Amino acid sequence: MLSLGVSCNHDAGVTVLSDNQIVFAANEERYTRRKFEFGFPENALAEALQYCNVSTFDAVTLDGQMQTPHPSRANLVFGDKTWMSQLAEINQLNRVFFGTRAGVTFSRGLLRLLTQGHRNHYQSRLRALGITGEVFYAEHHKAHAASSSLLFPSDSGLAITVDAFGEGICAGIWTLKHGFPYKQSVVPGYHSVGLMYLYITHLLGFKLGQEGKVTGLAAHGDGSRVRDLLLSRIFFDQNRRTFVNHSLGYGTPALERLKKDLKEFSKEDIAAGAQSALETLVLDYIRAAIESSEFEKPDLYLAGGVFANVSLNRRIAEELQIASVSVAPNMGDGGLSLGAALLNHDSRVTFQTLYLGTEIEPTIVSLPVDLLNQAEERHTSDLEGDVARLLAGGQIVAVARGRMEFGPRALGNRSILAAAGDKGINDSLNKKLRRTEFMPFAPIVRDVDAAEYFELTQELWAYENMTVTCYARDRTRVQCPAIVHVDGTARPQVLTRERNPFVYEILSKYQKMTGVGVLVNTSFNMHEEPIVRTAETAFRSFITGNIDALVLGERLFCHRFRTNIIG
């Protein structure tokens, strides 16, 4: 069976399934170079069709039954106002239409009628690309739930979805049977804990998609008073098993209220309080879901943008009575095309890899000569060994090789690698890439070494995609301070040889040279840009970022003015 999943909303994307495999998956932002690109993913679709050499599908599923952005996410907090966002800020109206199940049902029905033109438009654009097949529409949170079941070999359990707002809903509890999600209950969007965190992100001066900066900043503050204040405005009702927005409000009024409430607190304390409140609310929600489920100790599956919060995920893994926890690798809206495709696909898909996008074609002749002249190609018969020697010598090496990763994490094919022994690498590399971060870089470690460096509480597969933190061991804090946060945690990528033999071999040779089995792994992108996709973008970022060396496919380039290790 051939299935196509298409997401046309925030962080639009495309997924192609063939029988039991994912054969292609990518997000539109990588093509337009605009983060979280919204709308019809024409470029990703074009490459998917070309790569798979197919245009006729058994099922074509679009994420979203309304096909329009909700103002809370696209406009209300971070952008211009629409008539919808202005209407939503009328207090009594938003409590009714977005805060009750009846109101959400009515609003969704009305918006489906109002957005029929959007659906017709997208179907015509599919036809214009030559795509044929029966068209379906997937409910937003149901697509999230479907995407969450991909990693774990079990085919049943409990799926939890939590995000800011998706088609009137902010959270859901789902029973998974044979990988298919069955709805148990949902929470209306007015009561969103994700929106609460989003408001705090905006209040602290960060942008949409920078919620991770709040998570990093939280470890530097004392959030007890802010936490109590937030939980007096939005709390979890144990009897009704739902979040309750008691007095936080919605949209601009909520922002103004928070500004007033929190004006005496430091940014660090605000971040810490928001993180603590979020963890308290979501943990209570999942505990209640487990208690009311048919499972005594379930396999737990998580999806939705809130579960990009790696500190929250660690607490879920460590504190709840569960058999295992699996976080969707592309947990936010970027993964909705996958979930949509899975919902109307007859075959049970087996997870094999997240390297599902563009293949690097190491041709860079279209770049300006002055840019090309700033690097020198080094011919090598041992690429992995030469990269390991560069890293052991304190050089920074970018990698653009093989197929691009699907999801927000760089997992070795679009990564920047560096030694983890110098804590100052965080500041120096961030300066090169024009980034501002409060959390250290993530480590990458081989599966055979992982337990020596990190206190792992889950099976190794749970750490393969940088979706959860764990505590670093004393040895790690001494040898690898660049990857340890102030709270003693790290966000490791545990790598198997099967997943990425090239980087695995680099780690093996680096360990033989240095006695250390951990490297820094951060995404290969400049500040506020998506991760690099093509050879040209990779080479330009390599030069612009003053990175010492670049692996481009099977080729090795060194910056003429920086690298002098090999030769």
Side-chain angles (χ1 to χ4, degrees), residues 375-386:
E376 177 183 355
E377 185 169 3
R378 302 289 181 90
H379 298 286
T380 172
S381 59
D382 179 15
L383 182 57
E384 296 93 332
D386 283 343

Side-chain angles (χ1 to χ4, degrees), residues 502-515:
F502 176 72
V503 177
Y504 196 94
E505 190 63 21
I506 291 172
L507 281 163
S508 299
K509 293 188 174 186
Y510 178 81
Q511 185 180 44
K512 287 181 181 178
M513 295 174 190
T514 66

Side-chain angles (χ1 to χ4, degrees), residues 374-452:
Q374 294 183 54
E376 177 183 355
E377 185 169 3
R378 302 289 181 90
H379 298 286
T380 172
S381 59
D382 179 15
L383 182 57
E384 296 93 332
D386 283 343
V387 171
R389 277 186 283 276
L390 285 167
L391 294 166
Q395 305 292 295
I396 297 169
V397 181
V399 178
R401 186 179 184 276
R403 295 184 69 185
M404 178 176 66
E405 300 91 338
F406 178 56
R409 314 297 190 208
L411 302 174
N413 279 9
R414 301 293 188 277
S415 290
I416 296 175
L417 304 177
D422 178 11
K423 193 171 184 178
I425 190 70
N426 288 286
D427 291 333
S428 60
L429 187 50
N430 277 327
K431 187 175 181 180
K432 287 175 183 288
L433 302 173
R434 303 167 190 168
R435 297 177 184 171
T436 55
E437 299 290 346
F438 302 101
M439 192 175 282
F441 295 126
I444 186 168
V445 62
R446 298 184 304 169
D447 52 350
V448 294
D449 300 322
E452 294 182 27

